[in-house]
Structures are given as C-alpha cells and as structure tokens.
Amino acid sequence: MYNVISLVISLIALALSGFATIRQLRYARSASDMTLLLEVALSATRDRGFQNDQRYVLTRLREEHLPDAGMDALPEQARTATRNVAFMYEYIGIMYALDMVDSRIALGIFHFRIRQVWETLEPYIRAERVARQAPFLPFFENMYIRSQDAPAEDILRSLGLCSARGFMPEG
C-alpha cells in the first residue's frame, strides 16, 4: 500500500513538473518571439533610411523604372532601395515561415505594408526570377499570400485586441 501511495505521489509530482516546464517554455518562446521581432523588424521599420527607401518604392519606383529586367538591373539608387525594403520583408517572412515568431503578431503588425510592398514589387521580383532562373524572395511571397487568408482586423481580434471604433474605418 505504501508503494502505491508513493508511486501516485511521484506521478502527480512528475505531471506537475511537466506542466510547469511546458508553461515556462511557452512563456520563454513568447518573450523570444517579441524580442526577435522587435530587434529585427521594428527597429528597421523605424530607421529613417528604411522609411525613405520604402516611400521611394511605394511612390516613385514604378514611375521611374520598368520592371522588365528585374531588381538587380535597376540603377544603383533604385536597386539599393528596392533590395533594402524587399529583404527586410524577406527576413520577416523567414521568421514567420520557420515559426520563430507568432504568426498573428507578425501579420498583425505588418499586414498592410506586406501587401502594399509586395503588390508594388511583384513585377520586379517576377522579372528577377526569370533573369536568375531561380527562386527569389520566396518567404516574402509566402507571407504576402498568408496575409490574404485573413483580414488584419480578424488577426488583431484573435490576439484579444479591442478597438473603441473598430479596427477599420466605417465607409
């Protein structure tokens, strides 16, 4: 009888220890997700040079340069700006695809810009793929496709966020 009670107590202690370990791992991963995302992505998006490059890509690139030969064939200034912007979203896409960050957080933060930048750069990226005869920016594209699966407001609600007047303007 004493052995059975000892065994039951040991099993309960083991189960509680396992539960505590799983909770601690989830907490550590969550903290790690935010640290990684904040360090890599958010610091880059706050950088004045990145902001200038992104503004150029979104407002002037298509007016000034045809996408026919791809990104690497663009003049130096345009090539640098497009690569800076595209590869920042590629890095976020890598973190997203490899589950290094919570996908809801990544999409909740970058949903609008990923879609806007991809739709601007897509013809340049496709032309670059043809020129290289190889994949180019596949993680960025994957994240763009995933951003179409759910509206930003649904992603934000899934995180438990509330909005006084709705996440989207009435219209």
Side-chain angles (χ1 to χ4, degrees):
M1 178 75 166
Y2 175 74
N3 288 340
V4 171
I5 292 173
S6 277
L7 179 62
V8 168
I9 290 172
S10 294
L11 289 175
I12 290 171
L14 181 63
L16 289 174
S17 175
F19 176 74
T21 300
I22 289 170
R23 255 181 84 94
Q24 188 64 29
L25 287 172
R26 284 185 185 153
Y27 175 77
R29 178 166 189 253
S30 177
S32 173
D33 284 356
M34 284 309 299
T35 300
L36 186 61
L37 193 61
L38 288 171
E39 285 180 10
V40 174
L42 295 181
S43 65
T45 59
R46 288 191 320 262
D47 176 74
R48 185 177 301 267
F50 176 82
Q51 290 175 5
N52 289 338
D53 288 345
Q54 185 166 256
R55 188 176 314 106
Y56 171 80
V57 165
L58 294 173
T59 61
R60 294 178 33 213
L61 177 66
R62 283 194 264 188
E63 294 172 6
E64 296 177 7
H65 305 286
L66 295 173
D68 301 343
M71 286 173 52
D72 282 351
L74 292 170
E76 178 65 29
Q77 184 180 2
R79 181 175 59 246
T80 299
T82 58
R83 291 178 71 78
N84 184 27
V85 172
F87 279 104
M88 200 281 289
Y89 289 111
E90 178 77 348
Y91 299 148
I92 295 168
I94 289 168
M95 290 187 284
Y96 175 90
L98 298 178
D99 288 328
M100 296 170 70
V101 296
D102 185 320
S103 62
R104 298 170 307 156
I105 293 172
L107 283 176
I109 294 170
F110 296 106
H111 192 276
F112 173 75
R113 282 293 187 215
I114 284 171
R115 294 177 71 158
Q116 190 179 39
V117 171
W118 175 265
E119 289 166 5
T120 300
L121 289 179
E122 183 177 16
Y124 300 87
I125 294 167
R126 297 222 178 272
E128 188 65 31
R129 288 175 178 175
V130 169
R132 291 174 181 225
Q133 291 296 299
F136 184 65
L137 302 171
F139 294 96
F140 180 15
E141 181 175 23
N142 177 67
M143 197 162 176
Y144 167 75
I145 291 166
R146 297 294 182 206
S147 75
Q148 294 180 33
D149 291 345
E153 56 273 16
D154 290 351
I155 295 166
L156 297 172
R157 278 192 206 94
S158 77
L159 290 166
L161 298 180
C162 300
S163 173
R165 291 187 174 83
F167 292 112
M168 297 293 290
E170 299 289 326

